[in-house]
Amino acid sequence: MYQTDLTDDQKNFIRRTIPMEDWHSKYDIFSILDAIIYIDITGCQWRNLPSEYPKWQTVYYYFRTWGAEGEFKDMLAILVEQVRIWNGQSPIPAIGAIDSQSVRSALPQSEKGIDGNKKVKGIKRHIVTDKNGFILAAYTTKGNVHDSKAAYVLMALLSALYPGIRTVYADSGYRSQVGQTVKEYLGHNIEITHSHYSGSGFVPAKKRWVVERTFAWLDHFRRLCRNYEETLGSANEMLMVAAIVMLLRRAPKFNIHY
């Protein structure tokens, strides 16, 4: 129907690998997923969802319900494992990279705060990726929440999903008591890396540049270029859906066009 829709191969792959017994709906589940992906990639308003999809109220209901039940999070974890195996890697990542992205809010009624450092009034997306740039855990806060404060929650989420990770690379914004606390209680070592900028141009930070590339990938999703969600929970779920789409695009014989 639309270029953003899941292909038949992708649907068959999801049926084979993703437990969907709890994804209850009287509508076709994949038509709901297609509509959510359409919103995320095109930046379309909910009320302007094309009529070929179920009513926008129905799609929005399932988007919030599945997000609250952790269905997107579980789906993402399975896809990370599968794509890593296809890439000849261990299904369980050993290292990660953490960073945040401040995003301006486009709605006056949305939850927001001011990031004084970047002069952005909106939200912050905090993510941890593996060495491929695949999102492992995500946490969305108001813009005024410091990276080191959000790191406690984000690292706890990461520990629950991937307890085998021992080292997480971060920038200087995470230099604080957080590293010692995370290592003591969760067993993860936060290692600070530097870009070694010499004035001759941009120099990627060793081992941490992958998370910066992931933020660049997210720019392909117009819904994420500004925050159009009223709640932080909804904003985080839109981020999770984008992470799922990116993984589907990188799996062999599966492709979703932007």
Side-chain angles (χ1 to χ4, degrees):
M1 186 186 305
Y2 293 97
Q3 284 190 328
T4 58
D5 289 351
L6 296 169
T7 65
D8 291 338
D9 285 342
Q10 289 168 337
K11 293 176 183 178
N12 290 332
F13 165 73
I14 292 173
R15 292 189 185 99
R16 292 195 307 268
T17 58
I18 309 297
M20 305 187 75
E21 294 81 4
D22 296 330
W23 294 56
H24 300 300
S25 173
K26 66 179 182 180
Y27 299 92
D28 176 28
I29 289 177
F30 290 107
S31 68
I32 301 291
L33 283 174
D34 284 341
I36 295 172
I37 293 172
Y38 181 90
I39 291 282
D40 210 4
I41 293 179
T42 67
C44 171
Q45 295 173 318
W46 285 104
R47 287 172 174 80
N48 289 330
L49 191 67
S51 59
E52 290 84 355
Y53 296 118
K55 292 183 178 179
W56 75 265
Q57 296 94 330
T58 300
V59 176
Y60 183 74
Y61 167 79
Y62 284 106
F63 166 70
R64 294 306 306 273
T65 299
W66 290 340
E69 293 176 350
E71 302 294 354
F72 295 135
K73 179 190 67 176
D74 294 342
M75 186 176 184
L76 177 61
I78 294 173
L79 285 172
V80 168
E81 177 181 306
Q82 292 295 318
V83 175
R84 284 180 61 89
I85 291 174
W86 285 325
N87 288 343
Q89 303 169 356
S90 167
I92 308 300
I95 63 173
I98 185 174
D99 205 352
S100 69
Q101 178 190 50
S102 296
V103 182
R104 297 184 187 278
S105 289
L107 300 178
Q109 67 270 31
S110 63
E111 298 182 70
K112 63 176 73 70
I114 299 177
D115 180 349
N117 184 39
K118 298 181 179 178
K119 305 298 189 293
V120 172
K121 184 176 182 180
I123 63 170
K124 266 190 181 181
R125 300 185 184 121
H126 307 266
I127 65 172
V128 178
T129 71
D130 68 357
K131 67 179 183 180
N132 305 300
F134 304 152
I135 295 178
L136 305 178
Y139 178 51
T140 302
T141 67
K142 295 180 179 180
N144 59 317
V145 177
H146 194 271
D147 294 353
S148 61
K149 301 298 182 183
Y152 290 110
V153 176
L154 186 59
M155 294 302 294
L157 291 171
L158 181 70
S159 181
L161 292 168
Y162 303 96
I165 290 183
R166 288 293 172 261
T167 302
V168 176
Y169 298 99
D171 62 19
S172 57
Y174 295 88
R175 288 185 302 179
S176 65
Q177 185 67 25
V178 62
Q180 182 178 342
T181 303
V182 166
K183 186 173 183 179
E184 179 179 353
Y185 289 97
L186 301 177
H188 302 305
N189 178 47
I190 295 182
E191 182 175 322
I192 306 300
T193 63
H194 303 278
S195 63
H196 303 294
Y197 177 72
S198 61
S200 59
F202 175 73
V203 180
K206 184 179 180 181
K207 297 183 179 180
R208 192 179 58 81
W209 66 272
V210 293
V211 69
E212 300 287 356
R213 183 183 61 181
T214 299
F215 285 131
W217 288 343
L218 292 175
D219 286 341
H220 292 286
F221 296 82
R222 294 190 177 186
R223 187 80 183 187
L224 302 183
C225 292
R226 289 286 187 273
N227 177 41
Y228 292 97
E229 314 307 320
E230 294 187 13
T231 67
L232 296 175
S234 180
N236 199 67
E237 297 308 326
M238 275 295 177
L239 173 60
M240 300 293 280
V241 171
I244 289 171
V245 173
M246 289 192 295
L247 280 166
L248 286 172
R249 295 183 73 246
R250 284 157 179 79
K253 299 182 181 179
F254 299 100
N255 186 39
I256 294 180
H257 298 284
Y258 289 137

